[in-house]
């Protein structure tokens, strides 16, 4: 009986959050180990379905870098990276689109639907969701100490997000699952970083929350310990002092950009934890770092 009472108390603890988030939009970047582990894939799908059934509107943006890498390897195509960006040739972009818009996207849709989630898969090209241009990556040359533009090929920088298709999907009661592919001004397919897509989609939707799932605990301080809560100003200070750096830096910048555009709260959460989404949303402790404007 005590165990049953504890379960009831857990539900009561979640009640204020359920009331506050009813009919609100959450944009979730899904990636990392949560997309690899069968157990974590299943708990992710359950979390998303539960969110939908209690009145939250989840919008999923997924990655797929490791899956792209494996497929390119199978075709004998070598991958090259510059500052974390995959140089994407015309030969590669067909594979990227096949993997992200096909295999990975449909696997996620199938997984959510297996739990009665009513998901539908789209890419940024559908309904002109994501308009983009070729990304000009500027890098400091160590030899000359001069800035130089690196040609990354068919890598995109978002110019516009048209959310009409997402609004119609939501009104029809479905969960959108977005592959991070955009369309250039000449109709070409462009490969875009999934964190950036999630941030820009959340901004365009004026979402309640942006949640980036990662393979780390969240943002850590100088002492190496997790920082559960950050303001924009504190995050900027940690960037200036290089406490936030390397792979965490672009994720935090995505959160700061979303806050500036009107997203209420942003989160960098540990996707290696079972039910990470529900724990971050419906408990005081959470499983990552929350970044807010003030």
């Amino acid at each position: 009986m005590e165990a049953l009472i504890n379960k009831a108390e857990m539900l009561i603890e979640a009640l204020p959050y359920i009331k506050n988030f009813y009919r609100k939009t959450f944009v979730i970047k899904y990636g990392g180990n949560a997309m690899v582990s069968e157990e974590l894939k299943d708990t992710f799908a359950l979390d998303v379905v539960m969110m939908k059934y209690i009145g939250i509107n989840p919008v999923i943006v997924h990655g797929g870098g490791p899956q792209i890498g494996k497929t390119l390897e199978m075709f004998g195509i070598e991958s090259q990276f510059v500052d974390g960006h995959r140089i994407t040739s015309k030969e590669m972009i067909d594979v990227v689109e096949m993997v992200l818009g096909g295999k990975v996207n449909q696997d996620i849709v199938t997984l959510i639907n297996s739990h009665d989630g009513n998901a539908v898969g789209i890419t940024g090209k559908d309904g002109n969701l994501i308009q983009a241009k070729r990304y000009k990556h500027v890098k400091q040359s160590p030899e000359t100490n001069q800035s130089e533009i690196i040609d990354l090929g068919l890598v995109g920088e978002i110019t516009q997000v048209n959310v009409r298709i997402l609004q119609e999907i939501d009104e029809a009661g479905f969960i959108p699952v977005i592959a991070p592919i955009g369309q250039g001004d000449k109709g070409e397919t462009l490969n875009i970083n999934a964190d950036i897509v999630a941030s820009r989609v959340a901004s365009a939707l004026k979402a309640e929350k942006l949640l980036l799932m990662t393979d780390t605990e969240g943002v850590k301080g100088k002492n190496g310990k997790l920082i559960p809560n950050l303001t924009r100003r504190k995050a900027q200070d940690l960037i200036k002092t290089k406490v936030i750096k390397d792979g965490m830096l672009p994720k935090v910048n995505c959160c700061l950009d979303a806050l500036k555009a009107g997203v209420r709260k942003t989160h960098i959460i540990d996707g290696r934890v079972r039910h990470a989404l529900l724990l971050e949303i419906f408990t005081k402790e959470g499983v990552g770092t929350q970044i807010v404007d003030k």
Side-chain angles (χ1 to χ4, degrees), residues 88-222:
T88 308
S89 64
K90 290 182 179 179
E91 183 184 28
M92 283 184 180
I93 198 64
D94 289 338
V95 176
V96 170
E97 188 165 16
M98 176 184 72
V99 173
L100 290 179
K103 173 66 175 168
V104 174
N105 187 273
Q106 290 307 300
D107 281 352
I108 297 167
V109 167
T110 300
L111 183 64
I112 293 172
N113 288 346
S114 70
H115 294 289
D116 299 322
N118 293 326
V120 59
I122 61 173
T123 75
K125 294 169 69 176
D126 293 312
N128 291 318
L129 172 61
I130 298 172
Q131 298 293 302
K133 63 182 180 180
R134 290 199 185 193
Y135 174 55
K136 294 181 180 179
H137 182 65
V138 180
K139 182 170 182 166
Q140 197 83 6
S141 171
E143 292 84 11
T144 64
N145 202 32
Q146 298 288 320
S147 295
E148 56 180 335
I149 296 176
I150 307 295
D151 184 6
L152 297 175
L154 294 169
V155 172
E157 178 181 357
I158 298 172
T159 56
Q160 187 174 354
V161 177
N162 304 306
V163 296
R164 180 181 172 187
I165 188 173
L166 298 179
Q167 291 165 341
E168 292 185 358
I169 289 170
D170 171 47
E171 287 171 9
F174 290 92
I175 300 167
V177 179
I178 305 168
I181 298 167
Q183 183 168 294
D185 53 12
K186 296 179 181 177
E188 72 273 31
T189 300
L190 296 173
N191 182 20
I192 307 174
N193 177 277
D195 288 336
I196 294 173
V197 172
S199 175
R200 289 294 299 273
V201 167
S203 299
L205 287 169
K206 299 294 186 230
E208 176 75 12
K209 288 182 181 291
L210 167 67
L211 300 111
L212 305 179
M213 300 184 76
T214 70
D215 284 341
T216 63
E217 289 181 85
V219 179
K220 294 182 179 180
K222 198 171 182 179

Side-chain angles (χ1 to χ4, degrees), residues 22-43:
Y22 183 71
R23 296 300 298 163
K24 300 292 177 62
T25 297
F26 290 7
V27 177
I28 302 157
K29 185 299 184 95
Y30 176 47
N33 197 54
M35 284 181 67
V36 178
S37 161
E38 292 300 321
E39 182 182 28
L40 292 176
K41 284 160 65 175
D42 206 52
T43 58

Side-chain angles (χ1 to χ4, degrees), residues 42-52 274-279:
D42 206 52
T43 58
F44 164 80
L46 286 167
D47 287 3
V48 169
V49 171
M50 181 174 175
M51 289 164 63
K52 187 68 174 178
R274 288 184 299 119
H275 298 296
L277 287 172
L278 297 186
L279 290 170

Side-chain angles (χ1 to χ4, degrees), residues 278-292:
L278 297 186
L279 290 170
E280 181 67 12
I281 295 166
F282 296 125
T283 66
K284 291 179 181 178
E285 295 80 8
V287 288
T289 299
Q290 174 181 267
I291 307 175
V292 297

Side-chain angles (χ1 to χ4, degrees), residues 209 227-231 265-268 280 288-292:
K209 288 182 181 291
I227 305 174
N229 294 285
L230 275 175
T231 62
K265 292 184 179 181
T266 63
H267 307 255
I268 298 173
E280 181 67 12
T289 299
Q290 174 181 267
I291 307 175
V292 297

